[in-house]
Amino acid sequence: MKQFQYVITDPIGLHARAAGLLVKAAKTLDSTIIIEKLGGGSAGASKLMALMALGVKNGDTVIVRIEGGDECSNLATIEQFFQQNL
């Protein structure tokens, strides 16, 4: 398992458009990706409604866990996604 922490910098947090893009990106990878809101719940990155239910806002810290498949490559891909979109 690989993981990283990320502080959300998008002014409106993990909103519908960004969550939709994250789901689309996660579904192309061969790893299971879990997003955990620090001090809150967690959701699979391929589950749009579960991601939205986390209520991740600007300034919140999330932990992104990658399990299975090519963890190193998938970690780099998802980390880049977060930096570009969130």
Side-chain angles (χ1 to χ4, degrees), residues 36-84:
E36 180 183 343
K37 180 179 175 183
L38 206 60
S42 64
S46 62
K47 311 265 187 214
L48 179 63
M49 296 309 289
L51 286 172
M52 297 295 299
L54 290 176
V56 176
K57 301 193 182 325
N58 181 20
D60 287 349
T61 300
V62 294
I63 300 169
V64 181
R65 291 190 175 90
I66 295 96
E67 292 185 30
D70 186 354
E71 293 176 350
C72 292
S73 175
N74 293 338
L75 174 92
T77 299
I78 290 298
E79 195 165 23
Q80 182 179 18
F81 173 89
F82 270 75
Q83 291 168 354
Q84 292 175 347

Side-chain angles (χ1 to χ4, degrees), residues 8-29:
I8 302 298
T9 58
D10 188 292
I12 51 179
L14 185 57
H15 50 89
R17 184 188 59 78
L21 292 172
L22 176 57
V23 168
K24 191 174 184 178
K27 286 184 175 182
T28 66
L29 304 176

